[in-house]
Amino acid sequence: MYAGRRLVHATVAFLAPGRGAAAAATEAGWRGALAAIGPTFVRRLSATCRNESDGTSNNNNNNKKQKQPFYVTFGKLDHSSAGCIATITMSNPRANTFDQDSLDALNKAVGLATAAEKDVRGLVLRSDVDGFFSSGFDLSVFQDITHAEFMRLWTASKAIFRRIHALPVPSVAAIDGHALGLGFVFAMACQLRCMVHPEPHERKKKPPLVGLNEVAVGLPVPEWLTLRFRHLTTPRIAEDLLPTGAMLPADRALEAGLVDRLFPSSAAMHDAILADLSRRAMVPHEAQKQTIGLLRSEYLARFDACNERDNDFFWSAVSSPATQAAITSALARLKAKKPSR
């Protein structure tokens, strides 16, 4: 099914020549890969954030370090070109699920990563939550939601997607774990999607899944998202997967076009992504920006054109009794799956 794409398991398939392997552990490997392309520093989202190395904050009222739900790291490039690579790390408990507060926090992180546009030569979106890139919306936010609450939630979600997709530099989603619903939507905003896919004998858990499961939990897929999905795959594949909310393991996602590269480990993936972005940053910045902007302009124009009718369409769908009943049923199934304490 969806034949014709090559399964990539070797780091060398995405590395610039002469690049070495990163450290073995996921987080250590990521920081090691960042160190390999130059010094890093971390910018925070609040005045209480002072730690500039590990994504934690120091609260003035106590000495405990608190993990930030989203933080941005800038890795300076080690070649003659000016600029850096921005990495947004999602570190939100409960599988990086999204409600209004977490969407606002991620929107701030994206704004921070893209504010110094002339200095950022690449963007990476990743997670340090074990087993999850993101499981998407916390479905309970849609229960009995008011129109004003919906508009704020939906506008924030679309703004994050658009800001990432409109960034005129290479962008990569580094997927290590499940990427479902809105979580995969944000991955789709990136230019490339890379995913960890260990050999069967090295897997400790069930293979992670990716895809848009909206229909399976009672929500329609909006117009702007069907357009992007069809662009990444084909109209035929989109019509096969979207109406059932199908989730795909990494190898099938690669065949369908939803994922671009597979790697045997997180460390190999992270090292390869940063090496590739560093290589891409060697070309003249303005020419690259203008070309990427032109390549994405047609889709962004269609995204903007359907914005108002999308708001009306999705509010009508979410607020309908049938959708509310489907959401309640989906939440009950999720609750039943949780192990009792």
Side-chain angles (χ1 to χ4, degrees):
M1 195 177 198
Y2 319 138
R5 291 179 180 265
R6 186 163 57 92
L7 191 66
V8 179
H9 277 293
T11 304
V12 69
F14 204 47
L15 281 175
R19 185 71 176 178
T26 299
E27 192 66 16
W30 183 251
R31 297 189 184 285
L34 279 171
I37 63 167
T40 64
F41 58 96
V42 178
R43 292 181 179 175
R44 298 286 171 248
L45 304 183
S46 74
T48 62
C49 302
R50 293 289 182 265
N51 192 312
E52 302 212 326
S53 62
D54 62 1
T56 58
S57 66
N58 294 322
N59 190 308
N60 292 332
N61 297 326
N62 57 59
N63 293 323
K64 293 182 179 180
K65 287 186 175 181
Q66 298 178 342
K67 197 75 171 180
Q68 296 296 300
F70 305 94
Y71 57 96
V72 185
T73 305
F74 295 84
K76 295 179 181 178
L77 296 168
D78 63 353
H79 50 68
S80 58
S81 299
C84 60
I85 294 172
T87 299
I88 299 174
T89 298
M90 300 184 290
S91 185
N92 199 29
R94 296 188 306 145
N96 280 327
T97 54
F98 290 100
D99 57 16
Q100 188 64 61
D101 289 341
S102 54
L103 282 173
D104 289 344
L106 179 57
N107 208 359
K108 289 180 181 178
V110 173
L112 181 60
T114 60
E117 186 177 290
K118 65 179 181 180
D119 296 321
V120 174
R121 300 300 309 271
L123 176 71
V124 180
L125 181 64
R126 66 177 291 269
S127 165
D128 66 3
V129 174
D130 184 40
F132 285 91
F133 179 79
S134 169
S135 61
F137 271 121
D138 177 350
L139 272 182
S140 65
V141 301
F142 290 113
Q143 284 188 305
D144 302 319
I145 191 172
T146 68
H147 183 262
E149 291 169 338
F150 164 79
M151 284 300 298
R152 186 180 170 208
L153 188 80
W154 197 233
T155 299
S157 304
K158 292 197 293 184
I160 293 169
F161 175 92
R162 196 192 189 288
R163 291 177 87 172
I164 294 174
H165 192 66
L167 187 66
V169 297
S171 55
V172 185
I175 303 171
D176 187 2
H178 298 288
L180 312 176
L182 187 64
F184 194 63
V185 170
F186 293 150
M188 288 171 62
C190 296
Q191 179 183 7
L192 295 171
R193 280 145 301 285
C194 296
M195 189 171 179
V196 174
H197 183 59
E199 297 291 347
H201 66 278
E202 296 179 350
R203 296 174 191 163
K204 298 179 181 179
K205 303 177 182 178
K206 291 183 179 179
L209 303 175
V210 301
L212 302 180
N213 61 340
E214 280 79 355
V215 171
V217 296
L219 296 170
V221 181
E223 179 182 352
W224 55 272
L225 198 49
T226 64
L227 291 172
R228 178 63 174 158
F229 197 95
R230 290 173 62 175
H231 177 255
L232 293 176
T233 60
T234 68
R236 187 175 181 85
I237 291 174
E239 289 184 10
D240 180 30
L241 299 178
L242 290 180
T244 60
M247 304 282 97
L248 300 180
D251 52 349
R252 288 189 59 201
L254 180 75
E255 293 172 357
L258 293 174
V259 172
D260 299 287
R261 302 283 191 277
L262 299 184
F263 295 92
S265 69
S266 182
M269 176 179 68
H270 295 152
D271 188 56
I273 288 172
L274 292 171
D276 185 73
L277 289 177
S278 182
R279 176 182 60 81
R280 291 173 185 264
M282 293 180 182
V283 303
H285 189 23
E286 285 303 314
Q288 185 180 69
K289 281 177 55 178
Q290 292 167 4
T291 301
I292 292 175
L294 288 170
L295 288 168
R296 297 180 186 176
S297 61
E298 181 180 0
Y299 173 78
L300 290 171
R302 297 184 70 177
F303 179 96
D304 293 339
C306 72
N307 185 51
E308 291 301 322
R309 69 173 177 267
D310 171 74
N311 292 341
D312 294 338
F313 163 77
F314 212 74
W315 165 246
S316 178
V318 167
S319 59
S320 73
T323 300
Q324 287 294 312
I327 290 172
T328 299
S329 177
L331 287 169
R333 291 195 302 270
L334 289 172
K335 185 177 181 181
K337 288 181 179 179
K338 291 181 179 179
S340 57
R341 294 183 179 180

